[in-house]
Amino acid sequence: MAIIDELRTPLYFAAGTADLAVQQAKKVPGLIEQLAAEAPARIEAVRKTDPKVVQEKVTAQAKEAQATVQSKFADVVGGLDTDLKKLGETAQDFALRGVGVAAEYAVKAREKYEEVAAHGEEAVKAWRGEVAEEIVEIAVVVEPEETKAEDKADDKADTEAEGKAEEPKAPARKTTARKAPAKKAAVAAEKE
């Protein structure tokens, strides 16, 4: 049974992903309307912005970033210990931390996978329920007429079968083949 569950889980995951995508797609028209309403104001704000002001802001941010990177680099280089043993321990510590972080992300990914698969299972159950309800509705509408016709046909077939079983069979008659006159056969052969 566990093998079947393992085979179903990816399918439920796919169904859950599709259902979540549909839910997100339903939100798109509202977002488009909102952006369309905001677009003229944003375009006007960009038109009114002075390019020199934007260039000055970008230049200032670039200088700040460069200064930050240089100070961090100087701190790292200044803090480097030339002791190889300590560097080896630090490398091992980083490797162990990396393995721990990778394991943590793997656990989180598995949990999220199972959540989406559970959502997919619920979505499939909902879809099956909707289909089943539609089939029941169709059956209620169509079935009474078909059932009556089928019941009459079944009753008639049952009655005929019972009547044939009770009636004695007449002996089969022996039939003899008649020979065609030779003259007619000759005429037919000539026409061919």
Side-chain angles (χ1 to χ4, degrees):
M1 193 66 178
I3 295 173
I4 293 173
D5 290 339
E6 288 179 18
L7 295 175
R8 287 182 181 166
T9 303
L11 298 175
Y12 285 141
F13 176 78
T17 303
D19 189 53
L20 290 172
V22 168
Q23 289 176 3
Q24 293 301 319
K26 289 179 181 178
K27 295 178 183 177
V28 170
L31 293 174
I32 291 174
E33 291 173 4
Q34 181 183 1
L35 290 175
E38 294 175 4
R42 289 185 180 197
I43 291 171
E44 191 60 34
V46 169
R47 285 183 183 164
K48 290 182 179 179
T49 304
D50 186 20
K52 291 180 182 179
V53 173
V54 173
Q55 185 178 4
E56 289 173 2
K57 285 183 180 179
V58 170
T59 304
Q61 289 176 350
K63 287 180 181 178
E64 287 177 20
Q66 183 181 8
T68 304
V69 168
Q70 285 177 347
S71 67
K72 294 285 183 184
F73 182 74
D75 290 343
V76 169
V77 171
L80 280 179
D81 192 359
T82 57
D83 186 19
L84 294 177
K85 188 174 183 179
K86 190 171 181 179
L87 284 175
E89 291 173 2
T90 305
Q92 285 179 340
D93 186 43
F94 283 140
L96 290 174
R97 286 184 188 174
V99 169
V101 169
E104 182 180 340
Y105 283 134
V107 168
K108 287 181 180 179
R110 181 65 184 184
E111 288 173 355
K112 195 53 118 171
Y113 176 81
E114 289 174 356
E115 284 178 23
V116 173
H119 180 82
E121 186 174 2
E122 293 300 317
V124 168
K125 287 179 182 177
W127 296 338
R128 286 181 178 167
E130 292 172 4
V131 171
E133 289 174 8
E134 289 175 9
I135 291 172
V136 169
E137 290 173 4
I138 292 170
V140 168
V141 172
V142 175
E143 188 174 330
E145 295 172 10
E146 289 181 1
T147 304
K148 290 176 186 175
E150 289 175 4
D151 287 345
K152 287 180 182 177
D154 288 342
D155 290 343
K156 186 176 180 182
D158 290 343
T159 306
E160 289 176 3
E162 289 174 3
K164 286 182 180 179
E166 294 174 4
E167 293 178 11
K169 291 188 177 182
R173 293 193 319 180
K174 202 174 194 184
T175 57
T176 56
R178 297 172 84 189
K179 292 184 181 177
K183 192 174 188 181
K184 288 184 179 177
V187 172
E190 287 178 12
K191 288 183 179 178
E192 291 177 6

